[in-house]
Amino acid sequence: MIIPYPEHVAVVITTVIVVVLAVLLHYESLWLISRQIERSKKPHRQRILGMAFGVLLTHIVEIWLFGVTGWWLTELLGIGALEGYESFNVLDYIFFTAVTYTTVGYGDIYATGPVRFLYGTLALTGFVLITWSASFTFIEMQKHWRVGR
C-alpha cells in the first residue's frame, strides 16, 4: 500500500511526538519546581525567583525542542521550508519557533509546505503551556507569599 502524502504523515507523526515530549517535560518541570519550593529552606525571595527562572528555562528548552525539530524537518529532510530571508541557520529556526510559541507572530518569517502543521500546532501548544505556567506561578505564589516577605 502506498501512503499518499508521506511528507505530511511524517510531519504529523513528528509533531505528535514533539508535543507529547513538550507536555511531559512541562509537567515534570513544574512538579520538580513545586517540590523544590516546598522543601527549600531558602528565603522566600530566592524560592520565588528560583521558580520564575525554572519556568523560563522550561519554556526555553521547549522552544529549542520545537526549533531543532523544525530545522531537522526542513533542512535535513526537505519537508517544507521557512521563507522570508535568503538563507536560514538553526538560530533562525529557534527565533521563528519562539515567535510562534509565544503567539507573537511578527510575520517576517513564515513556513511553507507540510511543515506548516508543526508550526500551527506549536502555536497552540505554546499558548497552552504558557497559560499552564501562569496558573502554576499564581497558585504557588498564593501558597507561599507572605506579607513582609
Side-chain angles (χ1 to χ4, degrees):
M1 178 175 132
I2 297 175
I3 298 173
Y5 310 110
E7 296 88 8
H8 290 80
V9 173
V11 170
V12 169
I13 291 169
T14 301
T15 300
V16 168
I17 291 168
V18 174
V19 167
V20 168
L21 289 174
V23 170
L24 290 173
L25 170 65
H26 209 79
Y27 174 85
E28 294 299 331
S29 297
L30 295 183
W31 185 84
L32 286 172
I33 292 166
S34 180
R35 294 301 157 257
Q36 275 301 113
I37 291 171
E38 293 291 331
R39 295 178 179 159
S40 179
K41 303 293 187 221
K42 292 181 179 178
H44 177 265
R45 173 182 232 122
Q46 289 179 8
R47 286 183 285 144
I48 297 301
L49 289 172
M51 175 189 60
F53 286 120
V55 169
L56 285 171
L57 180 62
T58 301
H59 286 290
I60 290 168
V61 170
E62 291 159 359
I63 287 168
W64 274 78
L65 175 65
F66 276 99
V68 169
T69 301
W71 173 82
W72 177 72
L73 284 170
T74 58
E75 297 294 327
L76 297 182
L77 298 184
I79 301 175
L82 290 188
E83 301 289 337
Y85 294 112
E86 300 256 339
S87 65
F88 291 93
N89 62 45
V90 72
L91 290 179
D92 295 316
Y93 282 87
I94 302 304
F95 167 78
F96 180 62
T97 299
V99 168
T100 305
Y101 182 95
T102 58
T103 67
V104 172
Y106 292 134
D108 57 335
I109 300 174
Y110 57 94
T112 61
V115 78
R116 290 179 302 162
F117 181 78
L118 171 73
Y119 291 107
T121 306
L122 167 61
L124 175 61
T125 304
F127 179 74
V128 169
L129 297 181
I130 290 169
T131 305
W132 186 2
S133 292
S135 298
F136 169 79
T137 301
F138 176 78
I139 290 167
E140 288 297 323
M141 289 188 74
Q142 287 284 24
K143 286 185 347 189
H144 300 285
W145 200 263
R146 291 184 216 127
V147 178
R149 288 169 257 193

